[in-house]
Amino acid sequence: MTDVREAVAATCRSLAAQGLVKGTAGNVSVRVADGLAITATGVVFADAVADDVVIVDAERRVVAGRLAPSSELDLHRAAYADDAVGAVVHTHAPAAVALSLVSDRLPCVHYQQLSLGGEVDVVPFAVFGSPELAARTGAALASANAVILAHHGAVTTGRDLADAVANTALLEWACDIYLRARAVGEPAELTAAQQAEVVAAAVSTGYGRTREL
């Protein structure tokens, strides 16, 4: 399990280097057999090491590590209700937080958002670590790879750690684009028909994947 714990710690350091987290504001997990590896509470992302990550079993018991798991353990567990989810990233990224203060959703304004599920919900505020926050987040992630938490931050999921981190970066970029546009006027949204056209084109061309000539 040491390799898994180091992978989570390395992800934390990368998120800090990208400016997606500050200090201890966030948590990361990855699915493991019969449980998950998750950052401990109070971990400084920029300095994270393998010992800052614990393994928690299906009954919420710490089976590896000496620290208490993140206060958002139940939020992560809710996200793993979808068997396709292999990793979860929660940050307090600034653009996502800012958007949560002025809107109850991130409209689909760019086709790349389709990989997140299109429009991204902003779930109502609930105290960190609460059952309400876990339930609301889990419900939103049942049909998307991203959700924004009002007055709090963002959560993304992925097939693995790299995928979840990429979704975090994409969500933050989309939030920033939307906020910039909204400062000038009302941003135009992609219609359902336009989104369907993009999906069809992506499928037919293999968009976003390398391929031989």
Side-chain angles (χ1 to χ4, degrees), residues 89-125:
V89 172
H90 168 45
T91 68
H92 296 180
V97 175
L99 184 141
S100 82
L101 307 181
V102 298
S103 180
D104 61 2
R105 67 190 182 108
L106 170 61
C108 188
V109 294
H110 193 284
Y111 66 82
Q112 282 186 274
Q113 284 178 245
L114 294 175
S115 65
L116 300 176
E119 179 177 304
V120 178
D121 289 338
V122 176
V123 300
F125 177 78

Side-chain angles (χ1 to χ4, degrees), residues 97-182:
V97 175
L99 184 141
S100 82
L101 307 181
V102 298
S103 180
D104 61 2
R105 67 190 182 108
L106 170 61
C108 188
V109 294
H110 193 284
Y111 66 82
Q112 282 186 274
Q113 284 178 245
L114 294 175
S115 65
L116 300 176
E119 179 177 304
V120 178
D121 289 338
V122 176
V123 300
F125 177 78
V127 174
F128 68 89
S130 66
E132 293 81 9
L133 183 61
R136 292 171 185 175
T137 302
L141 291 172
S143 58
N145 294 327
V147 63
I148 298 169
L149 315 180
H151 303 270
H152 187 159
V155 181
T156 62
T157 61
R159 298 180 304 273
D160 52 29
L161 283 170
D163 194 34
V165 170
N167 286 338
T168 294
L170 174 57
L171 175 62
E172 182 69 358
W173 174 83
C175 288
D176 183 59
I177 291 295
Y178 176 76
L179 291 170
R180 288 173 185 243
R182 184 164 165 163

Side-chain angles (χ1 to χ4, degrees), residues 53-79:
V53 180
V54 298
I55 307 295
V56 180
D57 69 13
E59 281 70 50
R60 303 178 82 260
R61 296 175 302 207
V62 174
V63 295
R66 58 180 180 79
L67 302 174
S70 168
S71 60
E72 299 293 9
L73 173 61
D74 287 337
L75 179 153
H76 286 252
R77 283 163 52 86

Side-chain angles (χ1 to χ4, degrees), residues 194-212:
Q194 289 171 329
Q195 293 178 45
E197 290 174 6
V198 170
V199 171
V203 170
S204 65
T205 63
Y207 178 82
R209 297 190 299 273
T210 57
R211 57 189 182 278
E212 298 290 338

Side-chain angles (χ1 to χ4, degrees), residues 1 4 8 28-38 55-56 76-88 158-161:
M1 291 295 184
V4 171
V8 172
V28 174
S29 71
V30 64
R31 190 192 293 273
V32 297
D34 300 320
L36 56 91
I38 187 169
I55 307 295
V56 180
H76 286 252
R77 283 163 52 86
Y80 288 112
D82 181 349
D83 290 339
V85 173
V88 179
R159 298 180 304 273
D160 52 29
L161 283 170

